Every structure is written in structure tokens, then in C-alpha cells.
Amino acid sequence: MTDHPRDLVALRRRLAEFAAARHWQPYHTPKNLAAALSVEASELLEIFQWLTPEQSVRVMTDPDTAHRVRDEVADVLAYLLQFCEVLDVDPLAALEAKIERNESRFPVPQGPEDRAPTS
């Protein structure tokens, strides 16, 4: 397993350098990056749109579909990391804080009546 925090920092830097070399920074506003992230997430969803739950579980067994899934995951992650770079958000710290809040909001079920999530 790799050291993810260092890997994310390196990927964020590489994406920033890629955009800077092409003079794309004026277009990389939070609004534009959030919109691009949404579009790419929708493209990932499109792969699964008409699949049954059983088919969706097996999607990576088809090489062509697996390639499309990996490409869309990469696009989603790239835009998310660029969004975080522009707003100076540490995505791992944000995720850790969210998990901690969810652990408080949704304690481990103690009995059968506690198993269904509540709103």
C-alpha cells in the first residue's frame, strides 16, 4: 500500500502544473471546477444507468467497460483535487472530519431496531 497523503499532494501539484503550463488557471474557478466535477460524476453514473444491481457488481469484468469506469473515476478525482487546490481544502482532513461526525450521528447499532438509518 502507498502513502496516500504524499501521493495526493504530488497529484495535486502535478495537476496544478499541468493547468499552469496551459494557462488554464483563469478557468479553474471553484464554480467551474464544481460544474466539471458534477459532469464527470454524471459520466460515471451513465455507465451504470440501465444496469441491474447484479450487472453493476460485475461491471469490471468487461475490459472495455472497466476501462471507461477507470477513466471516469480518474476524471472525477482530478477535478475534485483541482477544486481542493483552488480552495485550499485538504481532502483527507475533510473526509476524516466527516467520518468522525458520521460516527457520532450514526452510532453502531445495538439491536435490530437500530439497524435502519434515520434522517
Side-chain angles (χ1 to χ4, degrees), residues 6-116:
R6 186 181 67 225
D7 291 347
L8 283 181
V9 170
L11 288 171
R12 284 173 71 170
R13 186 178 319 112
R14 188 171 175 188
L15 287 165
E17 290 169 359
F18 181 88
R22 290 151 182 84
H23 308 288
W24 289 351
Q25 302 97 321
Y27 307 104
H28 283 192
T29 64
K31 178 196 78 69
N32 287 351
L33 291 168
L37 176 58
S38 176
V39 168
E40 295 302 336
S42 294
E43 289 179 6
L44 179 61
L45 176 60
E46 183 180 31
I47 296 168
F48 295 88
Q49 184 174 9
W50 301 115
L51 300 181
T52 65
E54 296 77 22
Q55 290 170 322
S56 72
V57 171
R58 295 188 308 269
V59 75
M60 299 304 284
T61 61
D62 175 63
D64 290 333
T65 306
H67 177 74
R68 290 177 54 215
V69 168
R70 283 190 293 274
D71 274 357
E72 296 309 333
V73 166
D75 289 342
V76 168
L77 182 57
Y79 279 119
L80 179 60
L81 291 178
Q82 290 173 84
F83 179 84
C84 289
E85 183 72 21
V86 167
L87 291 180
D88 195 27
V89 171
D90 179 338
L92 295 180
L95 177 58
E96 187 173 23
K98 182 65 175 189
I99 291 169
E100 288 172 7
R101 283 193 307 276
N102 282 344
E103 287 172 341
S104 295
R105 286 181 62 206
F106 306 105
V108 175
Q110 300 303 311
E113 67 281 353
D114 294 333
R115 298 201 190 274

